[in-house]
Amino acid sequence: MRQFFHRGDKFQPVSVDDERLNQPQLDGLWQKCPNCDETLYSREVEHNLNVCPKCDYHFRLGARERITLLLDEGSFDEWDTDVRTADPLEFIDPSGSYATKVEKTRSKTGESESLITGIGTIEGRPIAVAVADFGFMGASMGSVFGEKLTRAVEQSAQTGVPLLSVNASGGARMHEGLFSLMQMAKTVAAFARLGEARVPHISLLVDPCYGGVTASYATVADIIMAEPGALIGFAGPRVIEQITKQKLPDGFQTAEFFLDHGMIDLIVDRATLRRRLADLLDHYARARQVDRGESIPWIPNANGSGRELNGNGAERQNGVAQ
Amino acid sequence: MRRSRREKAAEPQVEATVEVEERDPNAPLTAWDRVKLARNPDRPHTLAYIDQLMTGFVELHGDRRFGDDKAVVGGLARFDGSTVVVIGHQKGSDTRENLRYNFGMARPEGYRKAERLMKHAEKFGIPVITFIDTPGAEPGVGSEERGQGTAIAESLLTMASLKTPVISMVIGEGGSGGALAIGMSDRILMLENAVYAVASPEACAAILWKDAAKAPEAAETMRITAADLYTFGIVDEIVSEPVPAHEAPQATISAAGEALGRQFEALMRLVDQPSGIDRLMEQRYEKYRRIGVWEVDVAGAAVSNQQQSAVSD
């Protein structure tokens, strides 16, 4: 089974500039599955939530596609789109300046940075989301990523709305030096406060998730999920191979490997993700209701009609989309 | 902050020569020179600091989960008249020692030991001092199997809300997440020739320059020296090295001890006040909350958050 998800050399991560990290484009009429090599009709893949109908390989998704699949249609309200990348080190490498690189990436992707934050609903239940966009410089964590995430977490701590982080990353953004490394501390500090406020953080690890993100907020969540076959780790496999001169075991650093070693709670495929999240949100909401006597307006009652008694015994319609 | 150029040591020269000693002694050190100094095997490591600055050190071993990682040392000790929990990465001075300490590269057990000792400190109201000196967390199959990322993340989470003062000092190499894992503290001190970076210059050069041999160039660009990080407001104090630490270990350690003592006293004064721990927690949160540089559009012009806060101050 492990071999099943092991994609061999083709998909060895991870550096943000690695050409191989560019996802096969989904806009052609036909495409090849990187896992089973099957030629697939693109429409069919798309209709199947970008999962290979033959082998269940989960294609990588951009943050926007992810949000579209995850949240109720039209429910997403984006936050902090005006926070822009700066170039504190005036970083230049042979491919040019960091500032230019960011500008190019922006116009190519249409995104302002590698993390999209905001609020929406899943089957009517409000949820804050922070979704990393691997297409934007390998979803590396720099100052903007850290700041937007911290703001979202602080917002959730205040409002009590649970937060879902969707984490793919090549690690910290090297072009911002130690500022990037310190985003690990900054975001974890915010999540520590979210924990003190007893607001749930659900982390979804998707392909590929490495470095500073794996070693910070993404792995200290209340619930840690992963997509099937996602590669997850601290150090990249090539680095480990080079340094240890060891052959890596089959299925090394896959979601299944992470699950086997007790590091994550569950693996969830794309088709059941929304349902699972809705279940979890209901569990926490009920727990909170019992615990604090709070009314949570969006829990459906026993017959699932989306009505419930609030704290005063009055009935209230809550518009749960079923 | 005193930053002096390297002078010829008054002490007898250590026989191990590094390339930097063949340079013009008056030329300012480059970032790469400092990388080499920070990695010099004769540079004093954590146990030397504990030995010279502290008394009654009782080393405590193990993570109570899997094993005892020798790349991280820790225990109870007496510093400036107070009991402290001291934790640090440990490197060796020769190959034999380095094999024992795994070159200062911690495995998950090392971070879990550190985290356990920090919680121990919190329980008894003991302040924590950490010494940072690592090329990075160990990359390895076993480390991945046992959750290297998770271990670092959990240590950070513990440090974020540890209700006791924490001071860190970068004494050599501050290698990425493996360094930060024991360095999320109230005060970050750094020796003049220490470096602290998001990735090793070699790794950065390999990825962005496509050539690991360009590490000296990458080191310069990455802004990893104590002076850079002090300017960025990430490091709180620089301990000067009039002579590189490996040429004057005792003098360097005493200077480090003096700076540590001063910062330690200031933090203890803060926590001894009514609701001092709450203020400490607030200050620690703010310390990390404000780190980062970005821009927002203000009236059609990009203004950085740092310029903004300068105006609002």
Side-chain angles (χ1 to χ4, degrees), chain A residues 60-71 76-79 111-120 122 127-136 138-141 144-146 148-150 152-153 163-169 173 191 201-209 213 217-218 227 270 273 277:
Chain A
R60 288 181 187 165
L61 290 178
R64 294 282 162 198
E65 295 168 287
R66 174 76 60 184
I67 289 166
T68 305
L69 289 184
L70 197 63
L71 299 178
F76 183 58
D77 183 13
E78 191 174 349
W79 292 333
E111 297 297 342
S112 62
E113 251 287 353
S114 58
L115 185 80
I116 298 176
T117 57
I119 192 162
I122 291 177
I127 187 162
V129 294
V131 184
D133 193 18
F134 199 77
F136 195 104
S140 48
M141 179 160 64
V144 174
F145 188 123
K148 285 174 78 171
L149 180 58
T150 302
V153 175
L163 187 138
L164 169 74
S165 60
V166 181
N167 305 300
S169 181
R173 179 149 326 153
F191 276 107
H201 168 210
I202 300 170
S203 165
L204 173 66
L205 308 176
V206 299
D207 190 54
C209 190
V213 168
Y217 69 91
E227 279 198 331
R270 226 166 258 168
L273 181 60
L277 286 168

Side-chain angles (χ1 to χ4, degrees), chain A residues 45-287:
Chain A
V45 175
E46 210 176 303
H47 279 258
N48 200 35
L49 308 169
N50 286 313
V51 174
C52 172
K54 305 281 185 248
C55 76
D56 202 38
Y57 169 71
H58 284 51
F59 284 84
R60 288 181 187 165
L61 290 178
R64 294 282 162 198
E65 295 168 287
R66 174 76 60 184
I67 289 166
T68 305
L69 289 184
L70 197 63
L71 299 178
D72 298 339
E73 205 181 331
S75 71
F76 183 58
D77 183 13
E78 191 174 349
W79 292 333
D80 297 316
T81 50
D82 63 337
V83 184
R84 301 283 168 78
T85 322
D87 182 9
L89 311 187
E90 294 168 357
F91 194 99
I92 297 183
D93 64 40
S95 69
S97 78
Y98 175 46
T100 315
K101 184 174 236 168
V102 169
E103 203 46 63
K104 274 191 199 152
T105 311
R106 253 189 227 153
S107 52
K108 196 179 80 189
T109 61
E111 297 297 342
S112 62
E113 251 287 353
S114 58
L115 185 80
I116 298 176
T117 57
I119 192 162
T121 57
I122 291 177
E123 296 183 7
R125 299 143 178 88
I127 187 162
V129 294
V131 184
D133 193 18
F134 199 77
F136 195 104
M137 296 185 76
S140 48
M141 179 160 64
S143 295
V144 174
F145 188 123
E147 177 66 19
K148 285 174 78 171
L149 180 58
T150 302
R151 288 185 190 181
V153 175
E154 287 176 338
Q155 178 79 9
S156 271
Q158 224 165 38
T159 58
V161 175
L163 187 138
L164 169 74
S165 60
V166 181
N167 305 300
S169 181
R173 179 149 326 153
M174 281 185 287
H175 312 75
E176 292 180 33
L178 214 65
F179 287 114
S180 293
L181 187 73
M182 290 293 159
Q183 302 310 308
M184 292 169 66
K186 173 170 166 169
T187 54
V188 166
F191 276 107
R193 287 196 164 181
L194 189 73
E196 281 162 25
R198 291 196 293 162
V199 178
H201 168 210
I202 300 170
S203 165
L204 173 66
L205 308 176
V206 299
D207 190 54
C209 190
Y210 279 87
V213 168
T214 301
S216 67
Y217 69 91
T219 52
V220 287
D222 298 297
I223 298 281
I224 307 173
M225 308 176 165
E227 279 198 331
L231 289 176
I232 304 158
F234 175 67
R238 273 182 299 178
V239 173
I240 296 174
E241 222 159 24
Q242 265 167 26
I243 289 187
T244 63
K245 317 265 186 259
Q246 229 180 317
K247 197 182 167 310
L248 302 178
D250 283 345
F252 184 60
Q253 292 187 326
T254 55
E256 294 70 19
F257 170 94
F258 235 53
L259 184 74
D260 274 355
H261 286 94
M263 295 299 153
I264 58 174
D265 292 286
L266 67 163
I267 294 176
V268 184
D269 61 39
R270 226 166 258 168
T272 52
L273 181 60
R274 269 169 59 86
R275 192 59 247 162
R276 276 274 168 277
L277 286 168
D279 286 344
L280 285 169
L281 291 174
D282 285 352
H283 286 312
Y284 291 119
R286 286 210 180 79

